[in-house]
Amino acid sequence: MVRVISQETYDEVVNENMEQFSMTPEEAIGDAVKQFEAQGVDLSNIIKDLILNDDNELITSCLNQINIALEEKNYGSIHHVLDKLTKQLDKDISRRVYAGKKGAYKTLIKLMKACINNTTIIKAALRTISSLMNGNPDLLDDEGIALQIEILDSCPDIPTLQCLLRWIRECCIKHELNRQGIFNADIFNKLKKILVRDNASGPEIRDACAVIRALVLDDDIRHEYGKAHEHASVIAKGALNVLTGLMPRYRKDKGVVGDLMITLAALIVRNEFCQEVEDAGGLKFVVDVMIEYPDSEKLNWQSLKLLKALAGNDNVKSDIITSGCGPIIVSAISRLRESECVVTAGLACISALTLRCSSNAGVFYDCGAPLVIIDAMKAYPKSLSVLKQAAWAIRNMSVRNKMECSEFIAHGVEDVLARALKLHGSKIESDVKAALRDLGLKVELKEQWTGKGVSLNNGID
């Protein structure tokens, strides 16, 4: 179990090293860090160099100035104080934790409520509280959620709304209860108003999409069962046509197009949603993007993610292949092979499109997929994600295409799979052995369960 200590305990040890052992500040810090790490103490939330720069005093001083301004209702230079505090919070998580313990969250909430009509202060305070809660989302409470909705409803200033959306996103990352609280506050309908507004700017659209994606995350290990699927279903029903309709409008803005595609990929969690996106022209748009921007690593990665998600519907899966995506996917993997993200997404696409579909597998054989898949495994021998997706693609292309799968064997797939198994062992064993089995190659399979040979009595004499 990970051990933790307080900032005060750490500082005492550093000071003791300096006073009793005549160490320099740098030596005292180094020795203290070694001591605690040897004891298995997690120092990620500790500001290790406070004694050198007095950042704790600077953070405390900024908070004190804000509190004095609140008491005196004099906010003349408070945005400068907020900028100074933000710079400290951006340094590392330990300073954010320290500020949180000193009441920074409550102070900032109180300031925003007091200055709700002062755009300059609200914008600065939103940047500060976003920094405070970066990797530190536990601070959010019902008062904070209510304030988020109030600003979203009443603030007409676009840059301020963007700062707000970034704060909301920070609150959602790795925190299931925050996501549920924000979602239950009807956040989606507020976001939809931004998406459907005729004069919505590209940056606004991107920030709204970022919040939508954060609301459908399932990344909080403290909660075994989250509501990501429920959130995605509700949002998809109200936003798929809107998001798909925005793609032609922002066609020349690569950043917006990419965000729209990756957001759609996160939302189409049901069979009918895939069909709805295709019916709205989503598939054709993705194909056009991959053809128009062949060298854009990010756009190709985002396109491949959306294609894989669309393949969740068997009819759409067939349409993806008949629209000519097979050669485009293989070409993207080969052309952008230096990008592990693109390679992984491309292999995942092949795996999804060939699952239980021998005709689709035949298309990928025809356009040279076996050699590209094997080359990808050779290029990324240490990447579990690449190797797993490759093994699944090999299996799905081979299990119903016994004649064509000899092409994999001719390119040396057996040795490549054997090396992957030797290097990664149990982490990839089942995937590699399944691929070898469906290729018709020799493989030693383990029985997961065997009986003990005890005779069973069914109760009938």
Side-chain angles (χ1 to χ4, degrees), residues 3-201:
R3 298 177 60 196
V4 294
I5 58 170
S6 67
Q7 183 72 48
E8 291 74 16
T9 301
Y10 173 85
D11 292 340
E12 284 175 11
V13 172
V14 173
N15 287 323
E16 184 180 282
N17 284 343
M18 294 172 62
E19 293 170 5
Q20 295 187 14
F21 303 105
S22 300
M23 292 183 180
T24 65
E26 291 81 2
E27 290 171 339
I29 291 168
D31 185 77
V33 170
K34 286 180 181 177
Q35 283 185 55
F36 286 119
E37 287 181 346
Q39 297 169 33
V41 175
D42 179 9
L43 296 177
S44 60
N45 290 341
I46 298 297
I47 305 175
K48 302 176 184 66
D49 56 353
L50 274 182
I51 197 166
L52 298 177
N53 51 35
D54 290 330
D55 279 359
N56 62 333
E57 292 184 12
L58 187 52
I59 290 170
T60 304
S61 172
C62 289
L63 294 175
N64 287 339
Q65 290 178 64
I66 297 171
N67 285 320
I68 291 170
L70 284 165
E71 290 175 9
E72 298 177 353
K73 297 183 179 180
N74 181 2
Y75 310 107
S77 61
I78 205 69
H79 63 283
H80 295 302
V81 177
L82 289 167
D83 290 342
K84 193 184 299 183
L85 178 57
T86 302
K87 288 179 182 177
Q88 293 303 314
L89 298 175
D90 284 340
K91 287 185 176 180
D92 56 40
I93 184 65
S94 58
R95 286 167 173 79
R96 298 193 282 276
V97 171
Y98 177 84
K101 290 178 179 177
K102 292 297 180 181
Y105 173 80
K106 289 291 186 184
T107 297
L108 291 169
I109 293 292
K110 191 175 180 181
L111 175 65
M112 285 191 282
K113 292 177 77 171
C115 303
I116 196 72
N117 296 317
N118 188 320
T119 303
T120 302
I121 293 177
I122 285 289
K123 193 160 50 178
L126 286 169
R127 283 195 291 263
T128 305
I129 203 166
S130 295
S131 294
L132 174 68
M133 297 182 69
N134 178 10
N136 189 31
D138 287 354
L139 297 170
L140 187 69
D141 58 12
D142 290 343
E143 185 180 15
I145 294 174
L147 179 61
Q148 290 173 346
I149 299 302
E150 181 182 354
I151 298 173
L152 202 51
D153 279 337
S154 62
C155 182
D157 182 65
I158 291 173
T160 302
L161 286 177
Q162 288 182 256
C163 290
L164 172 66
L165 292 173
R166 289 163 193 167
W167 174 34
I168 294 172
R169 177 182 175 275
E170 290 293 349
C171 295
C172 292
I173 295 173
K174 294 187 178 179
H175 205 294
E176 178 63 25
L177 294 182
N178 283 359
R179 282 193 288 268
Q180 293 183 23
I182 292 170
F183 188 84
N184 292 337
D186 198 29
I187 185 75
F188 168 60
N189 284 320
K190 318 290 183 187
L191 296 173
K192 190 174 180 180
K193 288 179 182 178
I194 296 173
L195 297 175
V196 301
R197 211 175 63 231
D198 290 336
N199 62 345
S201 66

Side-chain angles (χ1 to χ4, degrees), residues 385-427:
S385 57
V386 168
L387 295 174
K388 282 193 174 188
Q389 295 296 343
W392 294 344
I394 292 168
R395 179 186 178 184
N396 291 347
M397 287 179 64
S398 303
V399 66
R400 295 167 187 260
N401 297 68
K402 294 303 181 184
M403 294 293 291
E404 293 99 325
C405 74
S406 59
E407 192 172 339
F408 278 109
I409 300 169
H411 289 305
V413 72
E414 187 171 13
D415 290 340
V416 176
L417 288 169
R419 283 197 296 271
L421 184 58
K422 184 177 180 180
L423 183 61
H424 297 284
S426 60
K427 294 178 182 177

